[in-house]
PDB file of all heavy atoms in Angstrom:
ATOM      1  N   GLU Y  85       8.259  -4.204   2.066  1.00 98.00           N
ATOM      2  CA  GLU Y  85       6.772  -4.263   1.883  1.00 98.00           C
ATOM      3  C   GLU Y  85       6.574  -4.031   0.385  1.00 98.00           C
ATOM      4  O   GLU Y  85       7.418  -3.471  -0.329  1.00 98.00           O
ATOM      5  CB  GLU Y  85       6.086  -3.166   2.707  1.00 98.00           C
ATOM      6  CG  GLU Y  85       6.376  -1.752   2.275  1.00 98.00           C
ATOM      7  CD  GLU Y  85       5.651  -1.210   1.171  1.00 98.00           C
ATOM      8  OE1 GLU Y  85       4.433  -1.409   0.970  1.00 98.00           O
ATOM      9  OE2 GLU Y  85       6.276  -0.346   0.472  1.00 98.00           O
ATOM     10  N   LYS Y  87       2.994  -3.118  -2.492  1.00 98.00           N
ATOM     11  CA  LYS Y  87       1.555  -2.774  -2.742  1.00 98.00           C
ATOM     12  C   LYS Y  87       1.282  -2.978  -4.204  1.00 98.00           C
ATOM     13  O   LYS Y  87       2.101  -2.552  -4.952  1.00 98.00           O
ATOM     14  CB  LYS Y  87       1.180  -1.345  -2.328  1.00 98.00           C
ATOM     15  CG  LYS Y  87      -0.235  -1.012  -2.471  1.00 98.00           C
ATOM     16  CD  LYS Y  87      -0.481  -0.220  -3.759  1.00 98.00           C
ATOM     17  CE  LYS Y  87      -1.637   0.781  -3.572  1.00 98.00           C
ATOM     18  NZ  LYS Y  87      -2.918   0.048  -3.650  1.00 98.00           N
ATOM     19  N   ASN Y  89      -1.740  -3.055  -7.244  1.00 98.00           N
ATOM     20  CA  ASN Y  89      -3.132  -2.881  -7.847  1.00 98.00           C
ATOM     21  C   ASN Y  89      -3.282  -3.714  -9.051  1.00 98.00           C
ATOM     22  O   ASN Y  89      -2.469  -3.754  -9.982  1.00 98.00           O
ATOM     23  CB  ASN Y  89      -3.302  -1.447  -8.315  1.00 98.00           C
ATOM     24  CG  ASN Y  89      -3.781  -0.436  -7.219  1.00 98.00           C
ATOM     25  OD1 ASN Y  89      -2.967  -0.156  -6.270  1.00 98.00           O
ATOM     26  ND2 ASN Y  89      -5.123  -0.214  -7.118  1.00 98.00           N
ATOM     27  N   LEU Y  91      -5.236  -4.187 -12.305  1.00 97.00           N
ATOM     28  CA  LEU Y  91      -5.995  -3.163 -13.021  1.00 97.00           C
ATOM     29  C   LEU Y  91      -7.039  -3.907 -13.948  1.00 97.00           C
ATOM     30  O   LEU Y  91      -8.017  -3.147 -14.258  1.00 97.00           O
ATOM     31  CB  LEU Y  91      -5.012  -2.390 -13.951  1.00 97.00           C
ATOM     32  CG  LEU Y  91      -3.882  -1.700 -13.059  1.00 97.00           C
ATOM     33  CD1 LEU Y  91      -2.878  -1.072 -13.943  1.00 97.00           C
ATOM     34  CD2 LEU Y  91      -4.522  -0.563 -12.215  1.00 97.00           C
ATOM     35  N   LEU Y 106      13.132   3.389  -8.588  1.00 96.00           N
ATOM     36  CA  LEU Y 106      12.836   4.806  -8.541  1.00 96.00           C
ATOM     37  C   LEU Y 106      13.877   5.569  -7.574  1.00 96.00           C
ATOM     38  O   LEU Y 106      14.142   6.727  -7.664  1.00 96.00           O
ATOM     39  CB  LEU Y 106      11.563   5.145  -7.989  1.00 96.00           C
ATOM     40  CG  LEU Y 106      10.370   4.694  -8.781  1.00 96.00           C
ATOM     41  CD1 LEU Y 106       9.028   4.864  -8.119  1.00 96.00           C
ATOM     42  CD2 LEU Y 106      10.352   5.294 -10.179  1.00 96.00           C
ATOM     43  N   ARG Y 107      14.294   4.849  -6.525  1.00 92.00           N
ATOM     44  CA  ARG Y 107      15.213   5.386  -5.551  1.00 92.00           C
ATOM     45  C   ARG Y 107      16.165   4.424  -5.175  1.00 92.00           C
ATOM     46  O   ARG Y 107      16.022   3.261  -4.764  1.00 92.00           O
ATOM     47  CB  ARG Y 107      14.347   5.633  -4.264  1.00 92.00           C
ATOM     48  CG  ARG Y 107      15.208   6.262  -3.073  1.00 92.00           C
ATOM     49  CD  ARG Y 107      14.411   6.179  -1.819  1.00 92.00           C
ATOM     50  NE  ARG Y 107      14.940   7.101  -0.778  1.00 92.00           N
ATOM     51  CZ  ARG Y 107      15.974   6.804  -0.004  1.00 92.00           C
ATOM     52  NH1 ARG Y 107      16.627   5.688  -0.182  1.00 92.00           N
ATOM     53  NH2 ARG Y 107      16.358   7.684   0.823  1.00 92.00           N
ATOM     54  N   VAL Y 114      13.514   1.848  -3.651  1.00 98.00           N
ATOM     55  CA  VAL Y 114      12.044   1.693  -4.007  1.00 98.00           C
ATOM     56  C   VAL Y 114      11.988   1.366  -5.489  1.00 98.00           C
ATOM     57  O   VAL Y 114      12.634   2.117  -6.308  1.00 98.00           O
ATOM     58  CB  VAL Y 114      11.311   2.990  -3.648  1.00 98.00           C
ATOM     59  CG1 VAL Y 114       9.806   2.941  -4.043  1.00 98.00           C
ATOM     60  CG2 VAL Y 114      11.442   3.315  -2.132  1.00 98.00           C
ATOM     61  N   GLU Y 116       9.333   0.066  -8.916  1.00 98.00           N
ATOM     62  CA  GLU Y 116       7.933  -0.161  -9.321  1.00 98.00           C
ATOM     63  C   GLU Y 116       8.023  -1.242 -10.412  1.00 98.00           C
ATOM     64  O   GLU Y 116       8.875  -1.273 -11.179  1.00 98.00           O
ATOM     65  CB  GLU Y 116       7.280   1.157  -9.758  1.00 98.00           C
ATOM     66  CG  GLU Y 116       7.762   1.860 -10.926  1.00 98.00           C
ATOM     67  CD  GLU Y 116       6.906   3.116 -11.277  1.00 98.00           C
ATOM     68  OE1 GLU Y 116       6.193   3.531 -10.483  1.00 98.00           O
ATOM     69  OE2 GLU Y 116       7.154   3.624 -12.332  1.00 98.00           O
ATOM     70  N   LYS Y 132       0.134  -3.120 -11.349  1.00 98.00           N
ATOM     71  CA  LYS Y 132       1.301  -2.256 -11.103  1.00 98.00           C
ATOM     72  C   LYS Y 132       1.532  -2.318  -9.623  1.00 98.00           C
ATOM     73  O   LYS Y 132       0.694  -2.237  -8.748  1.00 98.00           O
ATOM     74  CB  LYS Y 132       0.967  -0.688 -11.547  1.00 98.00           C
ATOM     75  CG  LYS Y 132       2.108   0.109 -11.345  1.00 98.00           C
ATOM     76  CD  LYS Y 132       2.165   1.328 -12.217  1.00 98.00           C
ATOM     77  CE  LYS Y 132       3.497   2.082 -12.207  1.00 98.00           C
ATOM     78  NZ  LYS Y 132       3.478   3.241 -13.193  1.00 98.00           N
ATOM     79  N   MET Y 134       4.291  -1.069  -6.264  1.00 98.00           N
ATOM     80  CA  MET Y 134       5.390  -0.295  -5.649  1.00 98.00           C
ATOM     81  C   MET Y 134       5.996  -1.226  -4.555  1.00 98.00           C
ATOM     82  O   MET Y 134       5.286  -1.656  -3.691  1.00 98.00           O
ATOM     83  CB  MET Y 134       4.937   1.008  -5.096  1.00 98.00           C
ATOM     84  CG  MET Y 134       4.422   2.020  -6.162  1.00 98.00           C
ATOM     85  SD  MET Y 134       3.969   3.648  -5.499  1.00 98.00           S
ATOM     86  CE  MET Y 134       5.699   4.171  -4.947  1.00 98.00           C
ATOM     87  N   THR Y 136       9.129  -1.652  -1.633  1.00 98.00           N
ATOM     88  CA  THR Y 136      10.138  -1.064  -0.929  1.00 98.00           C
ATOM     89  C   THR Y 136      11.161  -2.137  -0.459  1.00 98.00           C
ATOM     90  O   THR Y 136      10.753  -3.163   0.139  1.00 98.00           O
ATOM     91  CB  THR Y 136       9.489  -0.433   0.362  1.00 98.00           C
ATOM     92  OG1 THR Y 136       8.555   0.548   0.065  1.00 98.00           O
ATOM     93  CG2 THR Y 136      10.649   0.363   1.152  1.00 98.00           C
TER      94      THR Y 136
ATOM     95  N   GLU X  85      -8.645   3.825  -1.136  1.00 98.00           N
ATOM     96  CA  GLU X  85      -7.338   3.730  -0.416  1.00 98.00           C
ATOM     97  C   GLU X  85      -6.189   4.329  -1.264  1.00 98.00           C
ATOM     98  O   GLU X  85      -6.337   4.516  -2.421  1.00 98.00           O
ATOM     99  CB  GLU X  85      -6.956   2.308  -0.176  1.00 98.00           C
ATOM    100  CG  GLU X  85      -6.747   1.349  -1.367  1.00 98.00           C
ATOM    101  CD  GLU X  85      -5.351   1.454  -2.009  1.00 98.00           C
ATOM    102  OE1 GLU X  85      -4.357   1.481  -1.215  1.00 98.00           O
ATOM    103  OE2 GLU X  85      -5.200   1.463  -3.223  1.00 98.00           O
ATOM    104  N   LYS X  87      -1.558   4.493  -1.207  1.00 98.00           N
ATOM    105  CA  LYS X  87      -0.287   4.064  -0.698  1.00 98.00           C
ATOM    106  C   LYS X  87       0.744   5.042  -1.255  1.00 98.00           C
ATOM    107  O   LYS X  87       0.715   5.446  -2.493  1.00 98.00           O
ATOM    108  CB  LYS X  87       0.125   2.674  -1.212  1.00 98.00           C
ATOM    109  CG  LYS X  87       1.374   2.134  -0.620  1.00 98.00           C
ATOM    110  CD  LYS X  87       2.535   2.291  -1.744  1.00 98.00           C
ATOM    111  CE  LYS X  87       3.576   1.175  -1.410  1.00 98.00           C
ATOM    112  NZ  LYS X  87       4.397   1.415  -0.270  1.00 98.00           N
ATOM    113  N   ASN X  89       4.904   6.318  -1.252  1.00 98.00           N
ATOM    114  CA  ASN X  89       6.307   6.123  -0.882  1.00 98.00           C
ATOM    115  C   ASN X  89       7.035   7.551  -0.887  1.00 98.00           C
ATOM    116  O   ASN X  89       6.966   8.327  -1.741  1.00 98.00           O
ATOM    117  CB  ASN X  89       7.171   5.227  -1.775  1.00 98.00           C
ATOM    118  CG  ASN X  89       7.064   3.832  -1.427  1.00 98.00           C
ATOM    119  OD1 ASN X  89       6.068   3.181  -1.696  1.00 98.00           O
ATOM    120  ND2 ASN X  89       8.086   3.323  -0.797  1.00 98.00           N
ATOM    121  N   LEU X  91      10.326   9.314  -1.212  1.00 97.00           N
ATOM    122  CA  LEU X  91      11.585   8.878  -1.835  1.00 97.00           C
ATOM    123  C   LEU X  91      12.750   9.679  -1.247  1.00 97.00           C
ATOM    124  O   LEU X  91      13.867   9.223  -1.109  1.00 97.00           O
ATOM    125  CB  LEU X  91      11.499   9.034  -3.344  1.00 97.00           C
ATOM    126  CG  LEU X  91      10.377   8.208  -3.959  1.00 97.00           C
ATOM    127  CD1 LEU X  91      10.164   8.564  -5.403  1.00 97.00           C
ATOM    128  CD2 LEU X  91      10.486   6.743  -3.701  1.00 97.00           C
ATOM    129  N   ARG X 107      -6.219   3.457 -14.855  1.00 92.00           N
ATOM    130  CA  ARG X 107      -7.388   2.525 -15.105  1.00 92.00           C
ATOM    131  C   ARG X 107      -8.608   3.266 -15.032  1.00 92.00           C
ATOM    132  O   ARG X 107      -8.953   3.872 -13.925  1.00 92.00           O
ATOM    133  CB  ARG X 107      -7.488   1.377 -14.131  1.00 92.00           C
ATOM    134  CG  ARG X 107      -8.603   0.410 -14.343  1.00 92.00           C
ATOM    135  CD  ARG X 107      -8.836  -0.486 -13.068  1.00 92.00           C
ATOM    136  NE  ARG X 107      -9.617  -1.670 -13.386  1.00 92.00           N
ATOM    137  CZ  ARG X 107     -10.932  -1.582 -13.437  1.00 92.00           C
ATOM    138  NH1 ARG X 107     -11.677  -0.457 -13.194  1.00 92.00           N
ATOM    139  NH2 ARG X 107     -11.690  -2.752 -13.609  1.00 92.00           N
ATOM    140  N   VAL X 114      -8.003   3.847 -10.975  1.00 98.00           N
ATOM    141  CA  VAL X 114      -6.675   3.820 -10.280  1.00 98.00           C
ATOM    142  C   VAL X 114      -5.802   4.807 -10.867  1.00 98.00           C
ATOM    143  O   VAL X 114      -5.626   5.019 -12.066  1.00 98.00           O
ATOM    144  CB  VAL X 114      -6.015   2.386 -10.390  1.00 98.00           C
ATOM    145  CG1 VAL X 114      -4.682   2.402  -9.746  1.00 98.00           C
ATOM    146  CG2 VAL X 114      -6.944   1.387  -9.825  1.00 98.00           C
ATOM    147  N   GLU X 116      -2.082   7.327 -10.340  1.00 98.00           N
ATOM    148  CA  GLU X 116      -0.775   7.498  -9.697  1.00 98.00           C
ATOM    149  C   GLU X 116      -0.401   8.927  -9.700  1.00 98.00           C
ATOM    150  O   GLU X 116      -0.700   9.726 -10.550  1.00 98.00           O
ATOM    151  CB  GLU X 116       0.316   6.513 -10.276  1.00 98.00           C
ATOM    152  CG  GLU X 116       0.687   6.818 -11.716  1.00 98.00           C
ATOM    153  CD  GLU X 116       1.826   5.925 -12.111  1.00 98.00           C
ATOM    154  OE1 GLU X 116       2.020   4.881 -11.536  1.00 98.00           O
ATOM    155  OE2 GLU X 116       2.452   6.213 -13.151  1.00 98.00           O
ATOM    156  N   LYS X 132       5.868   9.193  -4.509  1.00 98.00           N
ATOM    157  CA  LYS X 132       5.005   8.631  -5.560  1.00 98.00           C
ATOM    158  C   LYS X 132       3.912   7.791  -4.882  1.00 98.00           C
ATOM    159  O   LYS X 132       4.120   7.069  -3.830  1.00 98.00           O
ATOM    160  CB  LYS X 132       5.828   7.657  -6.402  1.00 98.00           C
ATOM    161  CG  LYS X 132       4.989   7.180  -7.668  1.00 98.00           C
ATOM    162  CD  LYS X 132       5.850   6.825  -8.805  1.00 98.00           C
ATOM    163  CE  LYS X 132       4.952   6.438 -10.022  1.00 98.00           C
ATOM    164  NZ  LYS X 132       5.678   6.231 -11.256  1.00 98.00           N
ATOM    165  N   MET X 134       0.072   5.523  -5.308  1.00 98.00           N
ATOM    166  CA  MET X 134      -1.035   4.852  -6.147  1.00 98.00           C
ATOM    167  C   MET X 134      -2.240   5.035  -5.364  1.00 98.00           C
ATOM    168  O   MET X 134      -2.297   4.752  -4.096  1.00 98.00           O
ATOM    169  CB  MET X 134      -0.715   3.361  -6.300  1.00 98.00           C
ATOM    170  CG  MET X 134       0.578   3.184  -7.242  1.00 98.00           C
ATOM    171  SD  MET X 134       0.863   1.356  -7.464  1.00 98.00           S
ATOM    172  CE  MET X 134      -0.617   1.014  -8.458  1.00 98.00           C
ATOM    173  N   THR X 136      -6.522   4.299  -5.292  1.00 98.00           N
ATOM    174  CA  THR X 136      -7.710   3.630  -5.749  1.00 98.00           C
ATOM    175  C   THR X 136      -8.886   4.438  -5.467  1.00 98.00           C
ATOM    176  O   THR X 136      -9.143   4.797  -4.289  1.00 98.00           O
ATOM    177  CB  THR X 136      -7.747   2.252  -5.148  1.00 98.00           C
ATOM    178  OG1 THR X 136      -6.552   1.455  -5.271  1.00 98.00           O
ATOM    179  CG2 THR X 136      -8.891   1.407  -5.817  1.00 98.00           C
TER     180      THR X 136
END
Side-chain angles (χ1 to χ4, degrees):
Chain Y
E85 63 84 37
K87 182 261 208 282
N89 271 76
L91 304 172
L106 296 177
R107 178 194 199 275
V114 180
E116 64 180 15
K132 185 157 188 174
M134 292 185 68
T136 308
Chain X
E85 63 83 39
K87 182 259 208 283
N89 271 78
L91 304 172
R107 179 196 198 275
V114 179
E116 63 179 17
K132 185 156 187 174
M134 292 184 67
T136 307

